Amino acid sequence: MSRLFGGRLQIVLIASFSLIAALTVGLNALAISRVIENYLEQAQDRRVARDMELANAFYQLKQDKVDGLAQRIALDTVISDDLRRSMDGDEVAFGETEKSTNWHASVSNMVGTYWINILDRDGEIFYGITVPSSGEVQIVRGGSWAKLPIVADSLAARDQRSGTEVIPVEFLSLIGLGEQARIRIKDTPRAAPEPFDDREGTAGLAVVSVNPLENQDRDVIGAVVVGHLFNNDFTLVDRIREVAGVDTVTIFFGDLRVSTNVPDEQGERAVGTLVSQEVRDVVLEQGLPYKGEAFVVNELFITRYEPLRNYAHEVVGSLYVGARLSTFQQLVQDVIGQVGIVTLVSILLAILIAIPIAHLITRPISALMDATRRLAEGDMTVRVDAVGRGELAVLSRSFNSMVDTLHATQQELLHKEKLASMGQLSAGVAHEINNPLGTIQLLAGVLRDETALNETQREDLEMIINETTRCKRIVSDLLNFARQQEVLAQPTDLNAMLDDVLDTASILPIFDKIEIVRDYGELPVVQADPSQLRQVFTNLVRNAAEAMNGYGTLRLETRKVDDQWVEVRVEDTGVGIPSVNQAKVFTPFFTTKSHGKGTGLGLSIAYGIVKMHRGQISVKSAEGEGTTFTILLPVQPFRGSNDSG
């Protein structure tokens, strides 16, 4: 009987086990395929949502640059005084106006197609600078912009106005941008039969800021108009793609593409093509965001569109980001195909090795599954035993390494999110209080200098001026923290920079009794922003001096880690940082200094600057023994991209 049933029973058991294995693997493969499909669908939404957030951030940064330049020129008393005298026929004053305006343009870091117009009180262009996409600077004099709504409204309201504006061709022609703004409208499948705006093809879309110019009596004597034209200018859309990693970006005037990196069938930029009817109905007609699949030029994309509004909150166009749907579909098909192959191979292997080593495989896999579940529930302390040197042991060690990496990444992302949130809050607060502080300081100075005061009154005014100055410094720190600065990379000698920082700092009284040790290694020239790095090291050096209360040893050490990295260490013999506070030193507004001695933003700003250089900054400290800050910087952090601003 044993011989009779022995072989058959063995076949039945093997067949049964193999069938269970086949069903299990097959069902798991089907479930995995479904999960992957669902995950990719969610990933599409998350990816495009992230792309839109980044695109909006870069777009707002462009608007802020334009606003900032217009405001700085409007606050330049030399320009307002010279404009008043120039209108009275003083040609020398006109030369000063020209010189001051050109200086503001040269230091503005504006790129692409932009203009600066100085208007008189009647809206006539008194002096203007135009930089078209060709880069040839044009000087403009004459021509009226008084009837442009944003200009007329700003002069009438005596207040600043800014937004995404439609500039008719008659105004652009006055400043030499009429031809650049012209775009031939191309036939586009699924587009609306009639344009959203009759001026499409001739008028331009631009971010514009208008600031009134006032004399000493606060009378409006003119206005400053600064704008960046998007028509046939691709600096912004290309920068969003290169820096933020967004696949395709487009800026629409109405339903017309005026700036894009979406290619047409010939591989050229699809400038002049139109948005589809379905997107137009939602974004332009209803003023709502649109997300999902959309027909772009000649194929389907996963997209997001958001309306662009002018200063009067009217929809004038839209901002688009997207990724080709075919890319995701191909990825799904590839994954499903790979899952199918893996399924078949797994079934065959299960038949061959199920009986002898089932237990050997099941036990470590179960441990990994349990660890994966705990990890999915948020347990970052989970680890699995990795015994031996086989594949399962390697997988276990890889899992443990992955958990370590995920934990570190999670902490860094949380820190970055906190910095971003605090940056937005800081920018809003600083913007609201900066102008009132300037007014208080100005009027207090006038009272002190031009009014007969007794000693007590003069001391009170001096206190007002000093405290206001301190507040403005805090506001400046807030703005530095919140501003998304660009890294202006250039060849930088770190050792020479550190010498300059120490030479500048050592003249301060607090350094009189501090021994400075410079232990420099031989470093390659790095690509970095020297002004921003100088701010980082100046902050660290001064913090070290304050931590030592003016007594001790400050040591700066540099070394070449390898061909790609260099390291800078700033070490002091101060009071040290308590271990409970070491995780907070880069948190915005955290400080252990006494009230009025610091804002808690210095190390947060330093952290942001180092991260923008693709570097790392860390701290090691022991109470009563001192603190060491270590900064790791790449030699070439920006290969293959344009970071000139």
Side-chain angles (χ1 to χ4, degrees):
M1 186 173 292
S2 296
R3 288 194 298 270
L4 179 61
F5 291 102
R8 294 178 59 189
L9 181 60
Q10 184 178 11
I11 294 173
V12 169
L13 290 175
I14 294 174
S16 299
F17 192 92
S18 299
L19 179 60
I20 294 173
L23 289 174
T24 302
V25 174
L27 291 174
N28 283 338
L30 180 61
I32 290 172
S33 298
R34 279 296 186 87
V35 169
I36 290 174
E37 290 181 10
N38 293 335
Y39 173 80
L40 286 177
E41 290 177 1
Q42 297 172 5
Q44 292 169 10
D45 291 338
R46 290 196 298 268
R47 164 69 183 276
V48 182
R50 191 258 334 178
D51 289 351
M52 179 55 74
E53 290 178 359
L54 292 172
N56 275 324
F58 276 85
Y59 192 95
Q60 185 59 47
L61 182 61
K62 176 64 69 175
Q63 180 71 68
D64 292 344
K65 275 192 174 183
V66 171
D67 291 345
L69 178 57
Q71 187 177 26
R72 289 193 296 274
I73 296 175
L75 293 175
D76 191 336
T77 56
V78 173
I79 291 179
S80 58
D81 290 342
D82 290 341
L83 176 61
R84 176 182 53 79
R85 291 189 290 119
S86 297
M87 289 189 297
D88 294 335
D90 186 345
E91 287 297 321
V92 175
F94 173 81
E96 294 299 320
T97 300
E98 180 180 10
K99 185 185 301 182
S100 296
T101 305
N102 291 345
W103 180 83
H104 281 289
S106 66
V107 301
S108 66
N109 289 329
M110 293 285 287
V111 295
T113 302
Y114 69 94
W115 74 86
I116 303 172
N117 287 342
I118 309 297
L119 309 181
D120 63 21
R121 64 172 60 93
D122 297 322
E124 291 284 328
I125 299 176
F126 177 73
Y127 178 75
I129 300 174
T130 300
V131 181
S133 58
S134 62
E136 298 177 359
V137 178
Q138 301 178 20
I139 304 303
V140 180
R141 294 195 66 180
S144 175
W145 276 47
K147 292 184 179 181
L148 189 65
I150 190 172
V151 173
D153 189 37
S154 178
L155 289 173
R158 301 166 57 90
D159 196 6
Q160 184 262 355
R161 294 287 186 272
S162 65
T164 302
E165 301 297 318
V166 177
I167 312 297
V169 66
E170 56 264 31
F171 297 99
L172 293 175
S173 296
L174 295 175
I175 59 173
L177 294 177
E179 285 303 315
Q180 181 174 330
R182 294 185 184 277
I183 295 176
R184 183 176 63 86
I185 300 176
K186 303 176 182 178
D187 291 334
T188 307
R190 302 193 186 183
E194 297 295 331
F196 175 78
D197 190 317
D198 292 334
R199 297 169 294 180
E200 291 176 18
T202 58
L205 189 72
V207 286
V208 180
S209 181
V210 183
N211 281 256
L213 279 169
E214 298 178 345
N215 59 18
Q216 294 180 347
D217 297 326
R218 305 301 300 276
D219 296 323
V220 174
I221 61 173
V224 179
V225 182
V226 178
H228 174 95
L229 180 66
F230 292 121
N231 292 43
N232 289 309
D233 181 278
F234 313 111
T235 53
L236 180 58
V237 295
D238 285 350
R239 183 158 184 79
I240 293 172
R241 179 176 61 185
E242 294 167 3
V243 177
V246 179
D247 286 348
T248 55
V249 187
T250 295
I251 297 172
F252 288 92
F253 162 36
D255 48 12
L256 176 67
R257 278 183 176 80
V258 296
S259 181
T260 184
N261 47 41
V262 174
D264 58 17
E265 295 178 347
Q266 289 73 39
E268 302 294 332
R269 296 180 188 267
V271 173
T273 56
L274 304 172
V275 76
S276 65
Q277 178 76 61
E278 60 180 335
V279 175
R280 169 177 166 164
D281 291 342
V282 175
V283 180
L284 301 180
E285 302 292 349
Q286 302 178 37
L288 299 174
Y290 177 95
K291 63 179 180 178
E293 296 182 9
F295 196 78
V296 179
V297 183
N298 55 14
E299 61 179 308
L300 284 173
F301 278 65
I302 302 298
T303 66
R304 286 184 78 96
Y305 295 78
E306 290 193 1
L308 296 175
R309 301 177 184 273
N310 62 12
Y311 82 102
H313 208 63
E314 300 167 333
V315 176
V316 295
S318 61
L319 179 63
Y320 152 91
V321 297
R324 286 183 175 85
L325 180 61
S326 58
T327 302
F328 292 99
Q329 291 174 333
Q330 184 61 47
L331 181 59
V332 171
Q333 293 172 2
D334 291 343
V335 170
I336 292 175
Q338 293 298 322
V339 169
I341 294 173
V342 170
T343 300
L344 293 175
V345 172
S346 299
I347 292 173
L348 292 175
L349 290 177
I351 295 173
L352 295 174
I353 65 176
I355 294 177
I357 60 172
H359 180 68
L360 210 61
I361 294 176
T362 303
R363 185 172 55 187
I365 288 180
S366 297
L368 280 171
M369 290 176 61
D370 181 64
T372 303
R373 177 187 56 78
R374 291 171 57 191
L375 178 63
E377 293 172 353
D379 183 2
M380 288 294 178
T381 64
V382 62
R383 297 294 185 274
V384 294
D385 294 331
V387 180
R389 295 182 296 176
E391 289 80 3
L392 289 175
V394 172
L395 179 61
S396 298
R397 283 191 285 269
S398 299
F399 176 85
N400 293 336
S401 176
M402 179 192 71
V403 174
D404 293 336
T405 303
L406 283 174
H407 183 64
T409 303
Q410 181 189 53
Q411 296 302 315
E412 184 171 356
L413 288 175
L414 288 173
H415 187 69
K416 287 183 178 179
E417 182 178 0
K418 184 185 295 184
L419 288 179
S421 300
M422 295 304 298
Q424 293 175 356
L425 175 62
S426 300
V429 172
H431 177 72
E432 292 297 329
I433 67 176
N434 197 37
N435 289 340
L437 286 175
T439 302
I440 293 171
Q441 188 179 43
L442 175 63
L443 295 179
V446 172
L447 285 174
R448 180 193 62 187
D449 299 334
E450 300 182 8
T451 306
L453 303 171
N454 58 41
E455 188 63 21
T456 299
Q457 292 171 331
R458 183 170 295 277
E459 290 177 356
D460 290 342
L461 283 176
E462 288 290 342
M463 180 176 292
I464 291 173
I465 293 172
N466 291 338
E467 291 302 302
T468 305
T469 300
R470 188 169 71 87
C471 289
K472 287 179 71 65
R473 185 172 64 253
I474 294 174
V475 169
S476 177
D477 285 345
L478 286 171
L479 287 173
N480 286 336
F481 170 70
R483 188 176 299 118
Q484 299 294 316
Q485 298 185 22
E486 298 173 345
V487 177
L488 304 180
Q490 55 186 277
T492 302
D493 185 338
L494 285 179
N495 290 340
M497 176 195 294
L498 293 174
D499 279 335
D500 183 55
V501 169
L502 290 173
D503 293 341
T504 302
S506 61
I507 65 176
L508 299 175
I510 195 172
F511 285 86
D512 289 344
K513 297 183 180 180
I514 291 178
E515 179 185 4
I516 298 177
V517 178
R518 313 182 194 207
D519 185 8
Y520 298 161
E522 184 176 351
L523 301 182
V525 173
V526 302
Q527 290 293 325
D529 189 325
S531 64
Q532 294 194 35
L533 289 184
R534 183 175 284 107
Q535 181 180 359
V536 172
F537 294 123
T538 298
N539 182 279
L540 294 179
V541 166
R542 291 186 178 178
N543 283 354
E546 292 173 0
M548 294 185 289
N549 294 319
Y551 297 87
T553 301
L554 172 63
R555 181 184 184 89
L556 268 72
E557 178 183 354
T558 64
R559 71 183 185 94
K560 176 182 175 182
V561 179
D562 53 34
D563 291 338
Q564 298 181 0
W565 297 91
V566 296
E567 182 182 89
V568 181
R569 294 164 58 91
V570 181
E571 181 179 355
D572 65 66
T573 58
V575 297
I577 302 172
S579 58
V580 70
N581 290 336
Q582 290 184 27
K584 307 175 185 177
V585 294
F586 301 114
T587 302
F589 306 111
F590 175 79
T591 180
T592 58
K593 298 179 182 178
S594 59
H595 178 69
K597 295 296 185 180
T599 61
L601 290 174
L603 289 177
S604 296
I605 294 173
Y607 178 91
I609 291 173
V610 173
K611 286 298 181 180
M612 285 191 295
H613 282 77
R614 309 296 193 269
Q616 299 289 334
I617 180 170
S618 60
V619 60
K620 183 178 181 181
S621 182
E623 287 190 77
E625 297 180 10
T627 302
T628 300
F629 282 90
T630 302
I631 296 176
L632 194 65
L633 292 172
V635 177
Q636 295 285 344
F638 305 113
R639 285 177 180 164
S641 63
N642 178 13
D643 288 84
S644 62

